[in-house]
Amino acid sequence: MKRYAILLLVAGQMLAAGAGHGEEPAVRTASGEFALLGGYGITHRGFGATRTQVETVDAILRYGHFLSGELGTGRWFQGRHELLVEVPLHLTLDPRVRTMTGGYLLGSWKFTSLEGLAPYIFAGGGVLYNDLGLDTQGTRLNFSYQGGTGLQWFVRPDTAVGIEYRYHHVSNAGTAEPNEPLNSSKFLLGVSVYR
């Protein structure tokens, strides 16, 4: 995974060097973004009540809608509020091949003061249907909350490649027994197009 992150960083820097100079990244003025993210996740056994190791390959479709113009102009925290709507597909590899899918609603702050880069933070949650076949989960309808951070490199004024980390929690919120939570880390790479 580390090797892919380094390759993405080098490719992003090479593409950014070829991008037109003087053109403002669309993150400052766009009304929204469409993104596709992919990556890997693994649970943290012993973190909270998590006992089961679950590994996933993840694909996430994202639409982001900006709720504000730039705020905090001229300061390090200059940025924009963004609402993210995601449709995830988590394919589990371990303990067996199964799927998790649902929908997430996340709030994000996208920093806009850096030239050619857009760091961001986000948090939120949603519903997740899973069919993992685990005896430690009492229902297939679960809930997820998550939070994380990412960094986008603009390869064109309206296109960015990025890397993202998120903490991801899945449980049934006490609606059924047993209720072992799955607390995991997800490492994602993505491409975003701004409109």
Side-chain angles (χ1 to χ4, degrees):
M1 188 69 191
K2 186 177 179 182
R3 185 177 333 153
Y4 294 116
I6 292 171
L7 287 173
L8 180 66
L9 176 63
V10 171
Q13 292 299 324
M14 290 172 49
L15 290 169
H21 295 285
E23 294 183 67
E24 186 172 293
V27 68
R28 294 181 176 154
T29 58
S31 61
E33 72 173 296
F34 294 93
L36 176 62
L37 299 112
Y40 169 80
I42 187 166
T43 56
H44 301 288
R45 288 187 288 181
F47 185 78
T50 301
R51 296 186 318 271
T52 306
Q53 178 172 303
V54 176
E55 292 182 71
T56 61
V57 172
D58 307 299
I60 300 173
L61 289 174
R62 172 189 285 168
Y63 171 70
H65 181 76
F66 287 102
L67 302 174
S68 72
E70 282 189 294
L71 303 172
T73 304
R75 301 189 180 192
W76 69 268
F77 56 83
Q78 174 181 319
R80 299 179 72 190
H81 292 286
E82 185 178 19
L83 181 65
L84 305 174
V85 179
E86 295 184 339
V87 177
L89 176 62
H90 307 292
L91 177 65
T92 62
L93 304 175
D94 180 32
R96 58 186 59 88
V97 177
R98 298 286 178 98
T99 59
M100 295 188 284
T101 190
Y104 303 142
L105 190 61
L106 310 166
S108 176
W109 180 260
K110 194 154 283 183
F111 297 89
T112 60
S113 62
L114 299 174
E115 192 64 39
L117 298 173
Y120 59 95
I121 56 175
F122 62 92
V127 295
L128 197 63
Y129 175 83
N130 73 32
D131 183 19
L132 302 185
L134 297 175
D135 295 335
T136 58
Q137 291 191 314
T139 181
R140 292 181 179 180
L141 180 62
N142 288 277
F143 303 92
S144 173
Y145 64 79
Q146 53 207 286
T149 186
L151 179 64
Q152 293 179 329
W153 295 272
F154 281 85
V155 295
R156 292 184 9 196
D158 65 346
T159 307
V161 295
I163 187 167
E164 181 177 296
Y165 166 81
R166 70 174 65 186
Y167 163 77
H168 190 260
H169 169 90
V170 177
S171 72
N172 66 37
T175 59
E177 289 295 332
N179 183 26
E180 178 191 348
L182 301 177
N183 294 303
S184 62
S185 285
K186 295 193 178 296
F187 304 92
L188 302 163
L189 303 175
V191 176
S192 293
V193 177
Y194 286 81
R195 296 285 178 232

